[in-house]
């Protein structure tokens, strides 16, 4: 893996390669965009270009320095992420922590990182720090990190990866060179799913669209959940205004956990898109096996209601994901607002 081999993000790669060629690499970058679209791969590629002894400012991807860096074992490249992410990646066990591994990046982690990058490089003239899920820095951690951005160590490049950059202090964002990453083309994601997960073309395309152009999310998508999407959609469309008990049962069924609720909301967001597409005569629905139902719902649903449905689904998902809202409660609220107009 090198910077040149990252696919689906031409703008980001072109900007970074131009900075490398012109010798104008910034001391701090903020890679902002959805999860699973290549931010971390790009960070690795940039770090290789900055530290590679064989092809400086390019990165060969094959020398000892580049291969160790890709494995997270380069002495001059520091990685920082929440403890929970380390557990998820198999870099630490739950037994390594006295309590539940935190999903925040704490101030003591930032201080340890800063101590390390202030040391002289062991192999490379340039040091790199990659902060995964930088938006998970708590307030104290962000304030500590800000001091480093104001007075960066010499010959050091900081790379912050964030899927929710708005959670970060404006002063941190303003001191970083922002590189934006967008969703990957669904065709590219579907092609990778067909190749690596051996999915048939319709299933791969559906998974790619459901994942919102995120290869990481698509690769992790539970095929059982994909197969069960019809239950989510059909039971949702069967709900009627006034039948509050049915709404509560639906919310209880699909809001058992945060993951279940997020999955149900993603399915319904995609379904709402299909209904809107069917309403204007579109043919390339993601849920191809529910084509008849999509046209039936489109015929009896006003366009303004589809807009309202989409907005309420987004609102519920944002509350669950970004504000740690109760999954079941948010599903209940979404249904009541949608069907009862409250």
């Amino acid at each position: 893996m090198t910077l040149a081999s990252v696919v689906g993000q031409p703008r980001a790669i072109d900007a970074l390669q131009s900075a490398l060629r012109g010798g104008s690499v910034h001391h701090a970058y903020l890679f902002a965009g959805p999860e699973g679209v290549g931010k971390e791969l790009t960070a690795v590629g940039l770090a290789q270009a900055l530290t590679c002894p064989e092809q400086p400012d390019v990165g060969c991807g094959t020398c000892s320095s580049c291969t160790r860096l890709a494995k997270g074992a380069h002495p001059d490249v520091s990685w920082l992420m929440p403890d929970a992410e380390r557990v998820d990646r198999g870099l630490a066990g739950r037994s390594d922590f006295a309590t539940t591994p935190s999903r925040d990046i704490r101030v003591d982690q930032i201080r340890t990182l800063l101590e390390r990058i202030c040391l002289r490089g062991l192999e490379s003239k340039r040091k790199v720090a990659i902060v995964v899920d930088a938006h998970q820095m708590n307030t104290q951690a962000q304030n500590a990190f800000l001091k480093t951005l104001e007075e960066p160590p010499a010959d050091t490049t900081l790379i912050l990866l964030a899927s929710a950059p708005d959670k970060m202090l404006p002063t941190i964002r303003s001191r970083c060179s922002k590189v934006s990453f967008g969703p990957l083309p669904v065709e590219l994601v579907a092609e990778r799913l067909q190749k690596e997960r051996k999915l048939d073309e319709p299933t791969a395309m559906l998974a790619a669209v459901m994942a919102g152009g995120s290869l990481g999310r698509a690769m992790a998508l539970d095929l059982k959940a994909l197969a069960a999407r019809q239950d989510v959609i059909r039971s949702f469309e069967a709900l009627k205004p006034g039948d509050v008990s049915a709404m509560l049962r639906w919310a209880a069924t699909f809001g058992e956990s945060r993951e279940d609720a997020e999955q149900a909301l993603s399915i319904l967001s995609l379904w709402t898109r299909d209904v809107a597409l069917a309403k204007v005569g579109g043919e390339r629905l993601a849920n191809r096996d529910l084509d008849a139902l999509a046209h039936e719902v489109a015929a009896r649903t006003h366009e303004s209601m589809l807009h309202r449905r989409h907005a309420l689904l987004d609102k519920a998902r944002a509350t669950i994901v970004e504000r740690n809202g109760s999954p079941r409660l948010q599903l209940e609220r979404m249904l009541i607002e949608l069907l009862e107009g409250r």
Side-chain angles (χ1 to χ4, degrees):
M1 173 58 66
T2 64
L3 202 57
S5 63
V6 177
V7 296
Q9 301 293 349
R11 280 188 178 182
I13 302 306
D14 288 349
L16 294 171
Q17 289 178 327
S18 177
L20 288 163
R21 287 193 299 268
S24 56
V25 175
H26 203 271
H27 74 278
Y29 285 96
L30 172 58
F31 289 3
E35 294 181 5
V37 298
K39 298 192 300 296
E40 192 166 330
L41 290 177
T42 303
V44 170
L46 177 58
Q48 288 174 327
L50 293 171
T51 58
C52 180
E54 302 297 328
Q55 296 186 44
D57 298 328
V58 177
C60 68
T62 57
C63 68
S64 173
S65 174
C66 286
T67 53
R68 282 181 291 131
L69 195 158
K71 295 177 182 177
H74 194 291
D76 298 323
V77 179
S78 302
W79 291 77
L80 178 62
M81 63 190 73
D83 289 337
E85 180 65 20
R86 291 179 58 212
V87 172
D88 291 344
R89 296 184 181 205
L91 301 176
R94 290 188 177 275
S95 59
D96 295 341
F97 305 97
T99 58
T100 301
S102 175
R103 293 210 169 270
D104 287 346
I105 294 177
R106 307 179 311 277
V107 67
D108 59 301
Q109 291 176 286
I110 295 296
R111 288 169 179 159
T112 300
L113 173 69
L114 301 184
E115 289 173 2
R116 183 172 182 181
I117 62 177
C118 285
L119 300 174
R120 180 179 299 176
L122 296 177
E123 295 183 10
S124 172
K125 292 182 180 179
R126 194 158 194 90
K127 303 183 295 298
V128 180
I130 300 174
V131 183
V132 178
D133 291 340
H135 57 280
Q136 294 295 94
M137 284 190 283
N138 62 30
T139 302
Q140 283 183 306
Q142 290 196 50
N143 286 325
F145 195 81
L146 180 59
K147 295 178 182 178
T148 301
L149 289 177
E150 292 170 341
E151 299 178 11
D155 301 319
T156 299
T157 297
L158 307 169
I159 308 174
L160 284 66
L161 315 181
S163 58
D166 289 347
K167 289 185 175 181
M168 302 169 65
L169 294 173
T171 42
I172 288 183
R173 299 199 303 268
S174 66
R175 284 170 171 75
C176 296
S177 177
K178 184 178 179 180
V179 181
S180 297
F181 289 72
L184 296 171
V186 292
E187 294 80 8
L188 172 63
V189 177
E191 183 181 332
R192 289 286 297 274
L193 289 173
Q194 288 178 267
K195 181 178 179 181
E196 298 184 27
R197 296 193 66 177
K198 310 301 181 186
L199 301 182
D200 59 72
E201 191 273 336
T203 304
M205 184 59 72
L206 175 60
V209 176
M210 281 188 63
S214 166
L215 180 59
R217 197 176 299 137
M219 293 297 289
L221 193 63
D222 184 355
L223 293 183
K224 291 181 180 178
L226 191 63
R229 80 194 187 290
Q230 285 200 22
D231 292 338
V232 176
I233 293 169
R234 291 186 184 280
S235 60
F236 174 78
E237 291 297 350
L239 294 172
K240 304 295 181 184
D243 193 350
V244 176
S245 61
M247 298 179 207
L248 297 180
R249 286 196 300 273
W250 192 94
T253 300
F254 299 106
E256 261 189 37
S257 69
R258 191 171 305 279
E259 292 74 19
D260 289 344
E262 286 184 47
Q263 188 67 52
L265 290 168
S266 295
I267 289 170
L268 292 178
S269 291
L270 181 58
W271 170 246
T272 301
R273 168 195 172 277
D274 277 354
V275 174
L277 194 59
K279 196 167 187 65
V280 296
E283 297 179 355
R284 290 186 59 81
L285 305 188
N287 294 279
R288 299 178 191 178
D289 51 347
L290 294 175
D291 182 271
L293 179 60
H295 282 83
E296 176 192 324
V297 175
R300 58 179 164 84
T301 307
H302 193 273
E303 184 178 329
S304 61
M305 179 56 73
L306 290 177
H307 285 300
R308 177 173 168 76
R309 178 188 290 192
H310 183 73
L312 289 172
L313 289 168
D314 274 356
K315 178 183 175 183
R317 192 167 189 274
T319 303
I320 292 171
V321 175
E322 299 173 13
R323 302 177 189 172
N324 204 31
S326 163
R328 181 171 174 175
L329 178 60
Q330 292 310 313
L331 292 185
E332 290 175 357
R333 181 173 295 172
M334 180 270 295
L335 292 175
I336 292 172
E337 286 188 34
L338 179 64
L339 297 173
E340 301 297 316
R342 297 178 188 174

